[in-house]
């Protein structure tokens, strides 16, 4: 059995996936690594962006052996039975054999491609191929032929007429497509050179410098870095990278998202193959099979990670999302992690024996080689990071365990149900999780034989046989490597979770039985003969499906709602038709399928799978492909599902519509076809409109009406499956909040006559979230538009994603001058009209405000004019006392418009008739007389409004009139108004004989008599006595007397009040009491008391004084100022005390100051100690201090004594220690210290004894060294020792250390013996001893050091000298032995001689060569002896005796060789070979030239044997190599040396000499970039033959007026022309031109900058007037301004007759809005807009006009009716006293009179109707002859002026604008129809 760990690439973390594909050695398993489920009951599949596992499908090697049995399970492998190492490699032409640890291995040859396909586009450059070498003891290599690379198919062209016409407009030229990668970006394909390695076990880093033979250490320097560093540490290209090569992370996160135009251009071209990278850019990676993956750290320090293993039964954390960044991955486990994992708990069956060949690291490996091991790592801001040993927290770290032997040796996590797949493993925090981390569900770890069936390789042909025991309890069934073709009998496995049917004989049918396996989570069908998946039922919990290595042509199958991984590599999939709805799919593998030949198939699957798809073919989704997918219409996924073939994005909208139209054509009514089927881009709570246009192609159903009905649906993230939305059956739909992120679909059903046809549909993109800014959709106002009526406003609000709230409501009143005025307090949806609203319009204003506080735009709606209510009166009553002589007043509340001359009547009760008779009229007041006594009075109120309309009269009746009650007069107060004085009341009584009248007194602040008795404060109750004594409470108040007259018969009259003329005065302030109470002793409190008189007391002043004597002035106690109490302190002892008080009234007047003394002198208190404690640390030698507080007079000689309490409990006095401080002595150690104090006052009075708390126990002091001395002389060869004096408790074993101190400040640690022997190395140095005192208990003190003098050296002497054998150009290094102190710069002299010297003397023929310790012989020394003379010198300059040594033999010549062979380009197309010859004299060396092609072939160039070489056309895109074979003059031939290949030879790069921008830098102008080509022949030839394309980019300066060199690129501007826009005004424009040739090279960009852009001439485009066209409508001007920023442009409204060019200005109308009136009827409204720029430049005026203004239909009907009659009357009002200076409010009160306007065909007249006092009269009369005209007023819609001539005119008021317009139009109509009066005369124009 073999388990393969698969690591798929994901940006969140690396997790190992345990799958167990048991293979035979005869079969190569290439199920892209997911070919088996062994899944071990706890296996987890985790897809991560790891290193090289499953990188490319076609480059892998695997090895396995037969399934193990229980007998040999414990002896195979270091971690589990059948442990194997599966290695994938991308080496060109090589084969690798992996080694299986612990079992017999069978070499398996992997399929390796011979070349690496690479692709380049305008977005990404050529990538560097990675060569990898697998180091293994059994690795072999053999060449294999190259496999052909398929050419991608071009986009399928749309067959629509528009598309054909667009292609034909290009002149019939199609863009050629070269073979290359189908997706247009650089990626590692199935034959990629990417290194992949899959192993069992965890990542491990060797420690201790020794490694296993099977695993070589992989360092960060041996593989590329994801942070942009190559193997040399230099930055590498940061171009976008599609594939993750071995040891390299994806740089997708560093990409810049291309523009839409770039994507379209990129999508429409197929890139060509690029040349292989040169050797200089090749990174060689050495990887051991035991190293699972390659770390991707930018620096070696970042290569540490931690290994985390799952704990049995640990729950999988909830799924979290995090930001996606370029996260470096590192999978090398640290030593600390390995050791920590070795200590993790394991189950009894999890222990395994180590392999004999393993080193000490295997102890950690035995626990780490687990097939379900997960490696977590966290992402950190896009930089490389790894988990440290501290990063394993809860949820990140788990212990390893496995079941017993013979079972699945795989730690698992407890089964948490199907939802386990959606959970994620916690990394380092809640914010460090990546949603793309995928893990298969964990299942029960304690899976026994009752839930597990293992029947692999048993040649089973049917499940329903005796060998297979199927029970309902089974959850894990492994039937791999059998001959099954049917699943009959599988229905009983309803609890099945994992099913492995790989490598059987299934044909594609018979899977219906799996429908009962609802709990199935993982299904493996790889390696069968399946041709279709249509028979696979829907499995609700299926999360992993592998169907690789089959014959599947289409992926059509039932919907799998929870499927997350679909592996379908190595099939025959060639179509997307029927692709299922997979809403949870995250990883899709389709390598080696024909469908991948279609370009941009990744974008197609992004469209089909939606945003859940994270990986395609084991790579992160390309940003370019994602952006390309966004260019396709929303219906693309449905069309792809139905068989539509992907085409160019520009043609996709047309093509998909044609495709759908073809599907719908059979279901449409005959003669119709779909022209448009689309909808708006939906946004939350914004209206989404659909548009279905059906074109009629024939007249089959001319007379039949075509109708449509709609139904809206909501789907998921992709437009695949939808559910209907209840009630959404209109053409418009408002997306809800729950629809955000989901696609919408609308179906349109055609109904022709009574026939209903199948629907057509349109789909949308996912619903975008709302803006959060609410919008008012509509406003409604309803109610009774009459004074007093209730008007209700309602608003329909779209909250656009915000939380609904109430909003802000305002009601406004539109006054006569059209200026709205806000109504205060009207903030509710309901409003009751008031009198102020009569004849005005109300405006309901609603401002939506969400609960988050976001405000939307306000909207308003205007109501009808509020009409006055009929006149009425309520609450009529009679006010006043019905008593003889009093006046009664009638009162009533009028309602109903403006009140006119209402009628008032008073009637009296008639006793005889029993009726009321009129006694008064026209006034509301009535004075009662004697005739009214005993009778009732009636008041009648008849309401009349300003128009003369009468309302119903209302009456009120009083009670019977009574006699006058008793009363008093001439009241006055007698007496002085002073505090305490007596006053009385004097008055005259009337109303009979006075009886016992009552008097009551009050006080008040007001000099005026209050109207309410309750507002006064009573001083007395009602009494008969008229005298009153003024109390203190009345001071400052006015006195009020209430006199109640009482007749003698007891009847009381109305009380009469009298107030005093002046307020009550106050007495001067004074004291009537002052004394001191309390105990006169220290610590006691004295209290002062005083009595105040003289008004209300204010802030009286008082304080305390101390006196030495009774008669002295005393000293004020500042702390007692303002206090009535004083606490006696020590300072007051033996002194007298007094209290002084100054009375102050509340008005600030002060009285006389008084002083009182205490009765006795202050006595001191009894002495005592209030607190006592010892301060300081009780340590030997430390000083302790006593801190105490004394109380009780002045302290005297208090007694102190220190005590010591021993550890045995005995306590004794410390003799002589009676002070406030104490120094701890050694004998106090471990004892407790305390001190006693007996307080004593200065007068020798003693207090109680006080004892402090004990401190301690006393600790010994730190050990110290009091003295340290080095003994011995510092002489070379001598010995040093030391003497030290210890202090600090009992001495323990002290430490000492010797150091050598160098003169330069360095030191060297020697040893820690008691003695030090000096050597020559110590000469010139100081010796230092560091002594550390140590107490017996182990406490160490501060180290003490002492330094000796400089060590003296000995006399210099050379002991030995030897010269080795010498060779030409090989440095001769003599061997010598020196003694005598520190050696200095000795003297070395080299000679050569022809004869070997004898003895210690130099020969005579010696020749001096060189002075120095070493010497390198040259050509002149060959054949001669070398002699060295050495004179030893000590460092201080003392010289010794010289020594002479000679070489053993003569100097030998070197072998011929050549160095620094290279190629240098001396000019364009000419190269020179160079090399340095070495090895004697050079002879006839051989020269040669080679051509190195882009494919890697190297050929000899015939005839090229000189040092110079001129290139030809065959050399382009190749490299030139120079060969140099050295030959010595004696004929000895050296080895051929080849130079490094030259740079790739290209012709001269096309360049631009100059870039010129033509056109004016003015807004709206077109700028064109023109290139100037150099005149040279080579440049002309390069432009003609090798130029490929020219790219342009436009940018804008950052600052205005071009002051900055920094420019900001303008998106989507890639053409040579650019139209200047408004935002460019004031900025400089810059165009950059980039030329590229056919070889992919790009010249240096050339740029040109324009001067600052000037604004264009201001103008207004598309000016139009919007309005309904009626005389009551509101008209608005709309237009588009052009020409810089708009300033104060002007607008004027005119009238114009139809067909006349003359314009009549409308005075005062200069705004963008204009409200028409009756004067505009028959005229065109013309708006003349004069654009003005902000700098004042004025443009050409532009006008727009309406059609002739029509009369509002309702008014027109009424006018037409009246004109047909020819005679009509109107009622109106006339202001008889109208003055322009008079306020409008005054004009409407009482000055309006009723008038009747009689109009007929010949004349009109204004008649004043008759009244009760006058007859009717004609005020004005006239015909329609000029200068007759009718005027209306814009600021008063109720007023109309009729002018007969200059002397006869009348102003009339009508009730509403409607009536006014009818009058004006009728009058003008009669004047025009019967008198031919021109309209302009009627308008006075």
């Amino acid at each position: 059995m073999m388990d393969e760990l698969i690591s798929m690439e994901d940006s969140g973390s690396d997790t190992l996936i345990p799958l167990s594909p048991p293979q035979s050695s005869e079969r190569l398993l290439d199920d892209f690594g997911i070919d088996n489920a062994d899944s071990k009951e706890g296996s987890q599949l985790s897809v991560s962006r790891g290193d090289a596992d499953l990188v490319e499908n076609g480059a892998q090697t695997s090895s396995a052996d037969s399934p193990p049995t229980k007998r040999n399970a414990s002896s195979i492998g270091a971690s589990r039975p059948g442990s194997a190492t599966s290695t994938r490699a991308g080496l060109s032409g090589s084969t690798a054999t992996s080694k299986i640890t612990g079992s017999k291995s069978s070499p398996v040859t992997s399929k390796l491609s011979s070349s690496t396909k690479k692709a380049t586009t305008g977005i990404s450059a050529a990538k560097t191929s990675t060569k990898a070498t697998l180091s293994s003891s059994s690795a072999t290599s053999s060449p294999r032929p190259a496999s052909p690379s398929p050419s991608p198919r071009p986009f399928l062209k749309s067959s629509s007429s528009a598309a054909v016409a667009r292609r034909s407009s290009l002149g019939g030229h199609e863009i050629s497509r070269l073979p290359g990668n189908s997706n247009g970006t650089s990626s590692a394909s199935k034959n990629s050179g990417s290194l992949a390695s899959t192993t069992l076990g965890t990542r491990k880093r060797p420690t201790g410098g020794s490694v296993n033979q099977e695993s070589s250490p992989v360092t960060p320097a041996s593989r590329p870095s994801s942070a942009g560093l190559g193997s040399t540490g230099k930055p590498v290209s940061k171009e976008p990278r599609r594939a993750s090569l071995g040891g390299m992370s994806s740089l997708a996160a560093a990409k810049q998202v291309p523009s839409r135009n770039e994507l379209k251009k990129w999508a429409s071209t197929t890139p060509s193959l690029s040349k292989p990278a040169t050797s200089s850019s090749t990174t060689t990676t050495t990887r051991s099979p035991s190293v699972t993956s390659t770390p991707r750290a930018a620096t070696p320090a970042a290569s540490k990670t931690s290994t985390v293993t799952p704990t049995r039964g640990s729950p999988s954390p909830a799924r979290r999302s995090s930001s996606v960044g370029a996260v470096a991955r590192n999978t090398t486990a640290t030593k600390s992690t390995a050791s920590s994992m070795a200590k993790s708990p394991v189950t009894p069956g999890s222990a395994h024996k180590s392999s004999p060949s393993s080193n000490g690291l295997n102890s950690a490996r035995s626990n780490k080689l687990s097939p379900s091991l997960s490696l977590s790592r966290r992402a950190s801001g896009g930089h490389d990071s790894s988990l440290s040993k501290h990063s394993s927290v809860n949820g990140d770290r788990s212990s390893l365990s496995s079941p017993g032997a013979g079972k699945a040796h795989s730690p698992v996590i407890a089964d948490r149900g199907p939802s386990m797949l959606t959970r994620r493993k916690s990394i380092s925090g809640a914010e460090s999780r990546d949603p793309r981390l995928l893990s298969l569900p964990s299942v029960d770890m304690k899976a026994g034989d009752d839930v597990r069936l293992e029947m692999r390789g048993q040649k089973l042909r049917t499940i329903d046989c005796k060998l297979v025991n199927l029970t309902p309890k089974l959850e894990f069934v492994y039937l791999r490597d059998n001959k099954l073709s049917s699943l009959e009998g599988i229905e009983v496995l309803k609890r099945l979770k994992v099913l492995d049917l790989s490598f059987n004989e299934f044909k594609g049918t018979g899977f219906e039985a799996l429908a009962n396996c609802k709990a199935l989570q993982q299904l493996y069908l790889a390696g069968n003969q399946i041709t279709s998946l249509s028979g696979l039922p829907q499995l609700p919990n299926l999360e992993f499906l592998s169907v690789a290595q089959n014959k599947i042509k289409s992926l059509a199958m039932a919907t799998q709602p929870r499927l997350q991984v679909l592996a379908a590599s190595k099939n025959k999939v060639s179509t997307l038709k029927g692709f299922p709805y997979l809403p949870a799919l995250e990883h899709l593998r389709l390598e080696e399928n024909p469908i991948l030949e279609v370009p941009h198939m990744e974008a197609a699957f992004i469209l089909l799978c939606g945003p859940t798809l994270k990986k395609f073919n084991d790579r992160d989704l390309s940003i370019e492909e994602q952006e390309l997918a966004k260019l396709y219409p929303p219906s693309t996924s449905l069309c792809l599902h139905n068989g539509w073939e992907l085409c160019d994005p520009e043609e996709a909208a047309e093509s998909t519509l044609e495709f759908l139209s073809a599907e719908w054509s059979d279901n449409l009514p005959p003669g119709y076809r779909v022209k448009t089927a689309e909808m708006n881009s939906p946004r939350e709570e914004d209206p989404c409109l659909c548009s279905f246009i059906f074109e009629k192609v024939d007249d089959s159903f001319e007379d039949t009406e075509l109708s449509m009905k709609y139904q809206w649906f909501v789907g998921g993230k992709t437009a695949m499956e939808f559910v209907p939305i209840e009630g959404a059956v209109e053409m418009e739909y408002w997306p809800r909040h729950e629809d955000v992120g989901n696609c919408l679909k609308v179906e349109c059903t055609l109904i022709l006559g009574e026939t209903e046809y199948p629907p057509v549909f349109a789909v949308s993109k996912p619903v975008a979230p709302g803006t959060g800014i609410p919008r008012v959709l509509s406003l409604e106002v309803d109610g009774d538009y009459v004074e007093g009526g209730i008007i209700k406003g309602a608003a329909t609000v779209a909250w656009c994603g915000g939380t609904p709230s109430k909003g802000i409501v305002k009601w406004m009143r539109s006054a006569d001058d059209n200026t709205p005025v806000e109504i205060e307090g009207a903030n509710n949806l309901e409003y009751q009209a008031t009198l102020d609203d009569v004849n005005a319009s109300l405006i309901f204003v609603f401002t939506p405000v969400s609960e988050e506080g976001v405000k939307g735009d306000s909207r308003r709606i205007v109501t009808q004019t509020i009409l006055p209510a009929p006149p009425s009166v309520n609450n009529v009553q009679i006010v006043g006392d019905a008593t003889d002589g009093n006046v009664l007043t009638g009162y009533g509340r009028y309602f109903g418009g403006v009140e006119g001359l209402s009628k008032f009547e008073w009637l009296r009760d008639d006793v005889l008739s029993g009726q009321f008779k009129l006694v008064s009229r026209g006034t509301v007041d009535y004075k009662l007389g004697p005739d009214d006594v005993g009778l009732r009075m009636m008041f009648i109120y008849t309401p009349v409004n300003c128009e003369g309309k009468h309302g119903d009269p209302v009456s009120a009746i009083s009670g019977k009139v009574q006699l006058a009650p008793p009363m008093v007069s001439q009241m006055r107060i007698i007496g002085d108004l002073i505090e305490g004085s007596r006053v009385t009341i004097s008055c005259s009584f009337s109303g009979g004989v006075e009886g016992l009248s009552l008097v009551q007194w009050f006080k008040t602040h007001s000099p005026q008599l209050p109207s309410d008795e309750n507002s006064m404060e009573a001083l007395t109750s009602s009494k008969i006595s008229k005298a009153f004594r003024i109390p203190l409470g009345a001071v400052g108040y006015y006195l009020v007397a209430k006199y109640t007259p009482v007749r003698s018969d007891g009847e009381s009259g109305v009380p009469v009040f009298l107030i005093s003329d002046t307020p009550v005065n106050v007495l001067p302030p004074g004291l009537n009491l002052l004394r001191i109470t309390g105990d006169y002793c220290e610590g006691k409190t004295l209290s002062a008391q005083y009595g105040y008189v003289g008004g209300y007391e204010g802030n009286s002043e008082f304080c305390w004084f101390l006196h030495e004597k009774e008669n002295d002035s005393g000293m004020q106690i500042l702390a007692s100022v303002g206090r009535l109490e004083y606490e006696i302190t020590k300072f007051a002892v033996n002194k007298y005390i007094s209290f002084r008080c100054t009375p102050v009234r509340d008005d600030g007047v002060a009285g006389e100051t008084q002083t009182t003394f205490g009765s006795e002198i202050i006595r001191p208190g009894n002495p005592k100690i209030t607190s006592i404690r010892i301060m300081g640390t009780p340590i030997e030698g430390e000083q302790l201090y006593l801190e105490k507080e004394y109380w009780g007079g002045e302290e005297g000689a208090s007694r102190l004594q220190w005590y010591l309490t021993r550890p045995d409990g005995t306590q004794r006095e410390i003799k002589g220690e009676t002070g406030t401080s104490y120094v701890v002595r050694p004998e106090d150690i471990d004892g407790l210290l305390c001190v006693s104090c007996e307080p004593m006052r200065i007068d020798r009075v003693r207090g109680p004894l006080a004892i402090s708390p004990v401190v301690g126990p006393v600790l010994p002091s730190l050990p110290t060294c009091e003295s340290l001395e080095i003994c011995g002389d510092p002489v070379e060869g001598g010995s040093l020792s030391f003497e030290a004096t210890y202090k600090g408790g009992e001495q323990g074993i002290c430490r000492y250390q010797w150091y050598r101190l160098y003169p330069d400040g360095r030191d060297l640690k020697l040893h820690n013996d008691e003695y030090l022997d000096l050597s020559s190395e110590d000469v010139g140095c100081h010796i230092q001893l560091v002594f550390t005192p140590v107490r017996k208990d182990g406490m160490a003190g501060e180290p003490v050091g002492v330094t000796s003098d400089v060590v003296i050296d000995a006399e210099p002497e050379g002991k030995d000298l030897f010269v080795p054998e010498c060779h030409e150009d090989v440095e001769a290094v003599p061997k010598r032995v020196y003694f005598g102190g520190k050696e200095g710069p000795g003297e070395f002299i080299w000679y050569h001689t022809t004869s070997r010297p004898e003895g210690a003397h130099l020969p005579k023929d010696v020749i001096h060569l060189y002075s120095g310790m070493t010497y390198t012989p040259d050509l002149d020394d060959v054949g001669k002896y070398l002699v060295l003379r050495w004179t030893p010198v000590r460092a201080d300059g003392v010289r010794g005796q010289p020594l002479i040594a000679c070489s053993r033999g003569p100097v030998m010549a070197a072998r011929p060789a050549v160095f620094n062979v290279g190629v240098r380009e001396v000019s364009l197309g000419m190269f020179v070979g160079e090399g340095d010859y070495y090895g004697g004299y050079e002879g006839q060396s051989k020269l040669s030239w080679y051509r190195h092609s882009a494919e890697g072939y190297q050929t000899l160039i015939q005839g090229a044997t000189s040092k110079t070489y001129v290139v030809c056309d065959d050399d382009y895109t190749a490299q030139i190599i120079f060969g140099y074979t050295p030959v010595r003059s004696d004929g000895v031939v050296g080895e051929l040396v080849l130079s490094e290949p030259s740079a790739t030879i290209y012709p001269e790069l096309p360049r631009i000499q100059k870039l010129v921008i033509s056109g004016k830098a003015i807004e709206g102008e077109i700028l064109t970039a023109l290139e100037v080509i150099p005149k040279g022949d080579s440049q002309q030839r390069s432009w003609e033959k090798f130029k490929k394309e020219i790219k342009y980019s436009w940018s804008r300066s950052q600052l205005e007026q071009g002051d900055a060199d920094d420019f900001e690129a303008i998106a989507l501007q890639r053409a040579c022309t650019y139209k200047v826009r408004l935002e460019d005004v004031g900025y400089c424009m810059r165009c950059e031109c980039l030329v590229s040739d056919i070889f992919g090279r790009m010249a240096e960009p050339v740029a040109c900058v324009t001067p600052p852009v000037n604004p264009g001439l201001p103008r207004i485009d598309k000016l139009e007037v919007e309005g309904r066209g009626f005389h009551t409508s509101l008209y608005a001007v709309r237009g588009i301004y052009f020409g810089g920023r708009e300033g104060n442009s002007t607008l004027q409204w005119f009238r114009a007759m139809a067909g006349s060019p003359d314009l009549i200005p409308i005075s005062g109308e200069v705004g963008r809005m204009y409200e028409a009136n009756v004067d505009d009827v028959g005229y065109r409204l013309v708006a003349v807009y004069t654009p003005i720029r902000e700098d004042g430049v004025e443009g050409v005026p532009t006008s727009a006009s309406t059609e002739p203004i029509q009369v509002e239909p309702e008014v027109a009907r009424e006018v037409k009716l009246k004109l047909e009659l020819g005679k009509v009357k109107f009622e109106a009002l006339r202001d008889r006293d109208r003055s322009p200076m008079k306020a409008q409010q005054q004009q409407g009160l009482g000055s309006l009179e009723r008038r009747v306007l009689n109009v007929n065909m010949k004349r009109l007249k204004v008649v004043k109707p008759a009244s009760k006092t006058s007859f009717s009269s004609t005020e004005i009369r006239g015909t329609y002859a000029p200068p007759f005209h009718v005027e209306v007023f814009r600021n008063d819609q109720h007023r109309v002026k009729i002018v007969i001539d200059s002397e006869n005119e009348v102003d009339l008021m009508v009730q509403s604008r409607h009536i006014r317009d009818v009058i004006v139009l009728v009058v003008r109509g009669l004047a025009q129809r019967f008198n031919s009066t021109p309209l302009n005369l009627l308008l006075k124009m």
Side-chain angles (χ1 to χ4, degrees), residues 950-972:
H950 290 67
D952 296 333
V954 180
S955 62
I957 301 176
S958 70
K960 291 184 178 181
V961 179
Q962 303 294 329
L963 283 172
M967 62 184 64
V968 294
S969 60
Q970 300 179 2
M971 287 181 59
R972 60 193 183 94

Side-chain angles (χ1 to χ4, degrees), residues 1750-1762:
Q1750 303 294 325
V1751 180
E1752 202 270 332
E1754 183 179 353
V1755 176
R1757 286 192 297 269
E1758 186 174 351
V1759 171
K1760 181 179 179 182
L1761 179 62
K1762 295 184 183 299

Side-chain angles (χ1 to χ4, degrees), residues 15 187 992 1114 1195 1535:
T15 307
S187 63
E1195 184 179 9
E1535 295 182 357

Side-chain angles (χ1 to χ4, degrees), residues 252-284:
K255 297 178 184 176
Q256 295 182 354
V257 178
S259 66
R260 189 181 186 92
N261 288 342
E262 287 176 342
L263 280 173
K264 290 181 178 179
K265 183 176 180 181
W266 166 74
S268 63
T269 60
T270 302
S272 60
L273 288 173
S274 63
K275 299 170 295 300
T278 61
S279 60
S280 61
S281 63
T282 301
T283 303
T284 300

Side-chain angles (χ1 to χ4, degrees), residues 1129-1170:
T1129 62
K1130 176 182 177 181
F1131 181 75
V1133 173
N1134 297 325
K1135 294 183 178 65
Y1136 294 94
I1137 191 167
S1138 66
F1139 179 76
R1140 184 177 300 172
C1141 179
T1142 302
V1144 178
R1145 204 165 56 204
D1146 57 353
D1147 56 359
V1149 177
E1152 181 181 356
T1153 302
Q1154 298 185 21
T1155 303
T1156 181
F1157 278 84
S1159 60
E1160 57 181 296
I1161 196 171
I1162 303 297
R1163 306 185 304 275
N1166 294 327
K1168 64 179 178 181
I1169 301 297
T1170 57

Side-chain angles (χ1 to χ4, degrees), residues 15 73 109 229 317 360 496 754 967 1140 1572 1587 1599 1662 1780 1822 1883:
T15 307
T109 305
L229 297 178
L496 184 62
E754 297 181 356
M967 62 184 64
R1140 184 177 300 172
V1572 178
K1587 178 184 73 66
L1599 301 177
K1662 298 182 180 180
L1883 296 176

